[in-house]
Amino acid sequence: MTTAAKEAPVAKEPAAAGRRQVLLLGPQRREPNLAAELDAHGIDGPVAVVTSGWQEREDEVEELQEHLGGRTRPLRLHARALDAFESDGDLAGKHRERQEILRRMQRLYDVRLTHAMAAVAELDARPGEDDTLLESREAALKAVGDLDREHLLDIREVHERFAQPLDLANRKAIARHREEVAEIVRDSAALAIAGGHVAVLLNRLRLFDVVGALRQRQPVIGWSAGAMVLTERVVLYHDSPPQGAGNAELLEGGLGLVRNLVALPHAQRRLRLDDPERVSRLARRMAPRLCLALDDGGAVALESRGITSAAGVRTLDVDGTVREMSR
Amino acid sequence: MTEVHDRPRRRLAIQELAEGRITREAVDAFLSAHSFPIVEGRNVTFVWRGHASGVNLRHWIYGLPSSQPFTQMAHSDLWHVTVQLPESSRIEYKFEVVRGPAREWIRDPRNDAMARDPFGANSVCHTAGHEVPEWTREDPDARPGHLEEMGFRSEALGSTRPVTLYYPARYRTSRRYPLLIAHDGPDYLRYSGVKTVLDNLIHRLEIPGMIVAFIESEQRLVEYADHEPHDRFLAEELLPGLERELPLEGRPSGRGLMGASFGAVGAFSTALRYPGTFGRLLLQSGSFAFSDVGVHERGPVFDPVVDFVNRYRDDPVRVAQRVYVSCGTYESLIYENRSFVPLLQAAGMDVRYEEARDGHNWENWRDRLRTGLSWLFPGPLWMMYE
């Protein structure tokens, strides 16, 4: 056990918000398990599919169609956004302005985070187990947590500030698409969200209020970035980037359909899971949310009462261990 | 294959052999017990067995005598030499076998590791701490890009020039790509394995999908040495031509020039003649020779380069936004490159400088590409989770 883990809060049980079932899956390129998981959970019928994280390749859904036996209903949110921005210059301008502010905030947060995380790493590396050092370590990590929370609040504030000028609910360029999207979602057995560019994906899901179109008990499935956006916090991570220290950073709040969980797709490739210090640091920073590694073939099902099934997924624990989760 | 021991033993393996009774059998046993060269801490022992009047180690480590004589072990046909190298070093070498007036350069017959270059191939040795980066090897998961060869008519150069275009995997005309123009294209492709590197770095999202134009020249020592027609070819012909035909970003931050050795000079002279056009420069072991006083001693081929660099040193100006510079510490150009960096910084450019214990060769340049390219053209690593 890493010493700094002694005071760490225990992870809360992850659960789905509301009364719907949510499935989080690992990447689908090498070991697609979407169809099998739909079958296993009795989800039959057409599936509304979001592939806007693929950006300009959004329409290249042939493999997905084939995998699901032709029952996909693509929502084409990326193309709809392009259409809306083209037909409504004011919308495009305000959207661009907001995104530029968000990007700048992310860069500035990153500067502060780099220094805050350097303090955490330095204190973790110091030999000794005395109370003064342990308290300093915890204080350094708490400072990072405070910075994370502050960043999320600032981001939310920007979204709120732009809500009125953007007035998405009453914009003609958006309204038509929202209606079409809602109709497809309503007529589908489930909503499936593919991975890709997580910021673009989240942006397009919000732009067309896809969550608002869901029926009360309609199941939702997400893989890779699609799983990340379903949680309360979208965490960006890579332990060995070619530049920089590889500190995980918060992008913004997610859609919140899953609570108390941080989705970490491609964890095997992106994280140094054999480094207990780094594993512990990430788990403690995200606590009481549970860090869940979603690699190829992994699947976890959640309902309001908690996790109902899990296979091929691992948890990152505050003591630095990585454990298989099975339910 | 090199045998590496991180820490030196009390006595080197070759000393242990020398201190025993030297017989044919003892030498046979020694040779079969080790792979060569033997790296023991900082000591690197090379051996050659055979009849000769002399054997020399020939290498390209600036700072050490370029020819190091082997010693013949008494009562045997075994020749050996031990040199000292710091950890994380990589060197290319050959043996010079002397038989009377004849001198023959050969690769180390006991070492399979070799690196190719336009002049042939050399044996390769590395000390503890050096590893060939795994991203330089083909990754079956990485979707491969493809190469297309074309001829590009240049009025500036008065001829049609071969250009090889690299298109990334999943290339789509519906998106816009950065453009990188690489000097000595065939050499980068052949000896630095740059296509594999691009495929891997793009697959890992460390650089964005990009288009790379590999150019070549049969007179590189002339055309890359501050040659106005060459620079005009790149900036006024090739760049606008490609931007007309291909879905390119078409802004300075999405345009790069790269080159090694004289190729780096060609990249920099183009950027200097067309400041602000190319926002990204990747300059590897640039031949940025200069003279503070008197005449340089690098030969007439360097005359235009020295004039060029001296002029730039007198009046350094900002030519690009970001410049990545690398050089091997075993190169004769290390002093010139170290001197070049503060000039670029003082002129207001964002500079990343990297050194490696390596020489003036294509594998050194290959092994620096991840840092250089990902800094000049950061990929969507943090945002993409497919």
Side-chain angles (χ1 to χ4, degrees):
Chain A
M1 176 183 282
T2 60
T3 51
K6 287 176 183 168
E7 304 298 323
V10 176
K12 289 184 181 172
E13 171 74 10
R19 302 166 71 182
R20 78 180 78 253
Q21 185 177 46
V22 180
L23 305 181
L24 304 182
L25 309 181
Q28 295 294 296
R29 182 184 169 200
R30 292 199 300 191
E31 285 184 46
N33 58 348
L34 173 62
E37 290 297 324
L38 291 177
D39 288 347
H41 291 88
I43 300 168
D44 199 11
V47 178
V49 174
V50 176
T51 54
S52 52
W54 301 352
Q55 297 167 279
E56 75 284 349
R57 294 184 295 99
E58 175 184 60
D59 288 337
E60 297 172 19
V61 292
E62 296 80 6
E63 278 182 38
L64 188 56
Q65 281 275 28
E66 194 178 331
H67 177 68
L68 288 181
R71 55 178 169 139
T72 59
R73 302 287 181 270
L75 293 182
R76 306 192 66 241
L77 303 186
H78 191 68
R80 290 179 192 278
L82 291 177
D83 177 67
F85 293 145
E86 199 172 285
S87 64
D88 186 339
D90 180 64
L91 170 71
K94 288 193 168 68
H95 183 269
R96 200 164 41 241
E97 186 188 347
R98 186 190 66 183
Q99 294 310 111
E100 188 44 52
I101 291 171
L102 292 174
R103 273 192 290 273
R104 185 147 187 272
M105 288 171 68
Q106 196 71 23
R107 287 195 294 272
L108 296 176
Y109 158 72
D110 192 41
V111 172
R112 298 170 68 193
L113 181 66
T114 300
H115 290 276
M117 286 300 291
V120 172
E122 187 178 331
L123 290 173
D124 278 357
R126 285 199 183 193
E129 299 299 321
D130 60 279
D131 286 348
T132 308
L133 181 58
L134 291 178
E135 282 166 17
S136 293
R137 285 177 182 159
E138 286 309 310
L141 196 67
K142 182 178 175 301
V144 174
D146 291 345
L147 177 61
D148 289 342
R149 273 187 292 281
E150 187 186 325
H151 178 60
L152 290 180
L153 288 173
D154 290 346
I155 296 284
R156 190 196 295 173
E157 195 272 327
V158 171
H159 280 290
E160 285 169 0
R161 181 153 39 102
F162 274 83
Q164 199 177 351
L166 282 168
D167 193 19
L168 296 174
N170 296 306
R171 275 199 193 253
K172 246 200 305 196
I174 294 290
R176 177 174 63 85
H177 288 298
R178 281 192 171 187
E179 282 170 23
E180 290 175 6
V181 165
E183 192 178 331
I184 298 170
V185 172
R186 262 197 315 270
D187 293 345
S188 300
L191 171 71
I193 306 174
H197 194 294
V198 68
V200 170
L201 177 61
L202 188 56
N203 182 286
R204 301 308 187 252
L205 285 162
R206 287 204 171 115
L207 193 61
F208 298 106
D209 191 25
V210 176
V211 170
L214 287 166
R215 299 191 308 272
Q216 202 176 30
R217 288 175 178 270
Q218 196 166 15
V220 176
I221 305 100
W223 65 91
S224 294
M228 295 164 75
V229 299
L230 292 175
T231 64
E232 297 160 299
R233 290 173 157 200
V234 176
V235 180
L236 311 176
Y237 54 94
H238 199 295
D239 275 351
S240 310
Q243 313 287 336
N247 297 319
E249 56 186 81
L250 270 69
L251 179 67
E252 60 178 286
L255 299 174
L257 297 187
V258 171
R259 290 182 180 150
N260 303 327
L261 186 142
V262 174
L264 303 170
H266 293 289
Q268 183 65 36
R269 184 163 60 81
R270 299 178 73 105
L271 296 175
R272 283 188 238 152
L273 297 177
D274 58 352
D275 182 340
E277 289 294 338
R278 290 192 78 97
V279 168
S280 169
R281 214 173 286 155
L282 181 60
R284 285 184 288 140
R285 185 173 156 201
M286 296 302 150
R289 292 170 185 83
L290 179 72
C291 288
L292 191 72
L294 284 167
D295 286 299
D296 291 346
V300 60
L302 303 104
E303 294 181 3
S304 58
R305 61 193 158 97
I307 292 174
T308 55
S309 69
V313 295
R314 291 177 289 173
T315 58
L316 279 61
D317 297 338
V318 292
D319 65 0
T321 58
V322 180
R323 291 192 180 88
E324 287 284 334
M325 173 188 265
S326 61
R327 296 279 170 104
Chain B
M1 191 65 78
T2 308
E3 177 180 313
V4 181
H5 303 273
D6 289 2
R7 292 182 182 175
R9 294 182 293 193
R10 204 151 50 85
R11 283 185 307 166
L12 300 180
I14 195 74
Q15 290 171 328
E16 288 177 355
L17 173 70
E19 288 166 11
R21 186 162 166 260
I22 309 297
T23 62
R24 170 174 288 276
E25 291 71 25
V27 172
D28 288 344
F30 173 76
L31 293 178
S32 60
H34 296 281
S35 50
F36 295 90
I38 308 174
V39 177
E40 295 157 291
R42 294 170 69 97
N43 298 291
V44 185
T45 301
F46 301 85
V47 304
W48 182 81
R49 190 179 198 183
H51 296 287
S53 47
V55 181
N56 298 307
L57 175 70
R58 306 302 298 246
H59 58 76
W60 293 267
I61 306 172
Y62 186 68
L64 295 180
S66 60
S67 176
Q68 306 232 4
F70 282 55
T71 302
Q72 186 173 16
M73 193 163 281
H75 316 297
S76 83
D77 56 358
L78 187 70
W79 297 75
H80 63 95
V81 64
T82 299
V83 297
Q84 291 211 321
L85 291 172
E87 64 179 20
S88 298
S89 294
R90 178 188 169 282
I91 64 160
E92 299 190 7
Y93 67 97
K94 276 197 163 99
F95 293 164
E96 181 184 42
V97 180
V98 184
R99 292 185 182 94
R103 291 172 179 269
E104 185 188 10
W105 286 39
I106 61 168
R107 288 198 303 274
D108 183 347
R110 298 183 185 278
N111 182 4
D112 294 336
M114 65 173 173
R116 296 182 187 280
D117 65 20
F119 309 103
N122 298 313
S123 294
V124 175
C125 158
H126 64 86
T127 58
H130 178 277
E131 281 183 17
V132 176
E134 37 89 29
W135 47 265
T136 63
R137 302 191 175 100
E138 281 193 25
D139 176 352
D141 270 357
R143 298 179 176 94
H146 71 278
L147 299 172
E148 272 182 27
E149 292 178 8
M150 64 181 287
F152 196 98
R153 176 67 199 170
S154 169
E155 298 306 324
L157 293 168
S159 61
T160 297
R161 291 308 174 101
V163 177
T164 302
L165 290 174
Y166 170 85
Y167 294 88
R170 303 198 286 182
Y171 170 74
R172 300 288 182 275
T173 54
S174 54
R175 66 175 289 187
R176 296 199 171 271
Y177 295 90
L179 171 70
L180 179 62
I181 298 175
H183 292 72
D184 293 311
D187 292 339
Y188 263 118
L189 287 163
R190 201 171 298 137
Y191 308 120
S192 287
V194 73
K195 179 182 178 296
T196 300
V197 171
L198 289 167
D199 287 347
N200 289 345
L201 297 184
I202 291 169
H203 167 69
R204 294 161 178 238
L205 309 166
E206 293 181 1
I207 60 173
M210 62 167 63
I211 293 174
V212 184
F214 293 98
I215 60 166
E216 55 189 286
S217 168
E218 288 180 0
Q219 296 187 77
R220 61 186 295 282
L221 295 181
V222 174
E223 292 183 354
Y224 292 175
D226 185 33
H227 188 61
E228 189 276 337
H230 163 79
D231 301 350
R232 184 152 41 96
F233 163 54
L234 295 191
E236 295 189 27
E237 296 175 341
L238 184 63
L239 176 68
L242 294 176
E243 289 187 347
R244 269 194 305 275
E245 297 297 320
L246 298 171
L248 296 168
E249 289 182 5
R251 56 184 178 211
S253 63
R255 296 184 192 129
L257 292 167
M258 73 181 270
S261 194
F262 263 58
V265 178
F268 192 75
S269 75
T270 305
L272 182 59
R273 276 207 172 83
Y274 297 87
T277 303
F278 298 93
R280 304 286 185 263
L281 303 180
L282 192 148
L283 310 174
Q284 301 193 290
S285 307
S287 305
F288 297 117
F290 63 91
S291 57
D292 282 322
V293 63
V295 291
H296 70 92
E297 294 176 346
R298 288 186 175 270
V301 76
F302 269 84
D303 286 348
V305 175
V306 171
D307 285 347
F308 168 65
V309 178
N310 283 351
R311 269 186 278 117
Y312 185 73
R313 288 170 62 83
D314 286 342
D315 184 19
V317 293
R318 187 173 193 261
V319 300
Q321 298 151 336
R322 286 187 171 195
V323 187
Y324 172 84
V325 180
S326 71
C327 193
T329 55
Y330 300 152
E331 297 186 52
S332 70
L333 288 161
I334 186 68
Y335 170 71
E336 284 79 355
N337 277 272
R338 285 175 179 164
S339 303
F340 200 51
V341 170
L343 278 182
L344 302 176
Q345 288 169 327
M349 287 174 268
D350 196 2
V351 183
R352 177 70 60 94
Y353 176 60
E354 190 179 22
E355 291 184 354
R357 287 176 178 150
D358 206 326
H360 196 76
N361 63 68
W362 290 96
E363 292 196 4
N364 176 14
W365 300 330
R366 176 198 65 191
D367 294 351
R368 310 278 84 75
L369 287 175
R370 181 186 187 225
T371 315
L373 288 174
S374 67
W375 184 66
L376 295 173
F377 299 96
L381 181 69
W382 286 90
M383 290 293 181
M384 290 292 287
Y385 304 79
E386 280 194 285

